[in-house]
Amino acid sequence: MIMKKLLFTLTLLLGLNLSAQDQKAYQLEDGTIRLEQFYSNGQIQQVSYYWGKVGIGTWLKYDEQGNLIAKAEMRNGRPVRIFRYENGIVTIIDRNKRSITQMKD
């Protein structure tokens, strides 16, 4: 019951649609929660980490074919650096430095 409430709370925080995708949550040894979300075809869509209700660590987002399309470094529930991968170009958004950089992959 507690795990269901936790999943529901995390879903609301992420603004996800429960009927559109499958989710799995795991509690790691240090108390961190790893949340995996899947496309309807079974392919992983996103991996995210939480300490309580706060997003932490490195989040990964994939397209429906399983290719990494974005990565975010989270601190205190906020993305501080975001990497977007598209057509051989990596776009890095650094919120601390207030900069955007693009480079070939």
Side-chain angles (χ1 to χ4, degrees), residues 6 8 24 29 32 44 52 58 62 65 70 79 90 97:
L6 177 63
F8 183 72
K24 293 181 184 176
E29 288 182 21
T32 301
I44 189 104
T58 302
Y62 300 89
Q65 290 74 42
V90 179
K97 294 180 181 177

Side-chain angles (χ1 to χ4, degrees), residues 19-102:
S19 63
Q21 60 191 13
D22 216 4
Q23 298 183 64
K24 293 181 184 176
Y26 307 92
Q27 185 157 1
L28 306 180
E29 288 182 21
D30 66 355
T32 301
I33 295 179
R34 174 185 167 114
L35 180 65
E36 297 175 350
Q37 299 150 318
F38 298 88
Y39 288 105
S40 59
N41 67 3
Q43 197 69 7
I44 189 104
Q45 180 181 25
Q46 182 170 306
V47 177
S48 49
Y49 296 88
Y50 293 87
W51 180 258
K53 294 181 182 180
V54 178
I56 63 168
T58 302
W59 291 21
L60 304 171
K61 185 164 180 74
Y62 300 89
D63 64 17
E64 289 190 60
Q65 290 74 42
N67 302 306
L68 181 65
I69 57 173
K71 177 171 69 169
E73 294 174 5
M74 303 290 286
R75 287 197 195 114
N76 298 320
R78 301 185 71 133
V80 292
R81 286 194 347 162
I82 301 165
F83 300 81
R84 293 188 181 154
Y85 307 94
E86 186 175 13
N87 298 325
I89 303 290
V90 179
T91 303
I92 304 168
I93 302 165
D94 191 323
R95 292 190 161 178
N96 288 333
K97 294 180 181 177
R98 296 182 179 183
S99 68
I100 298 174
T101 308
Q102 285 191 326

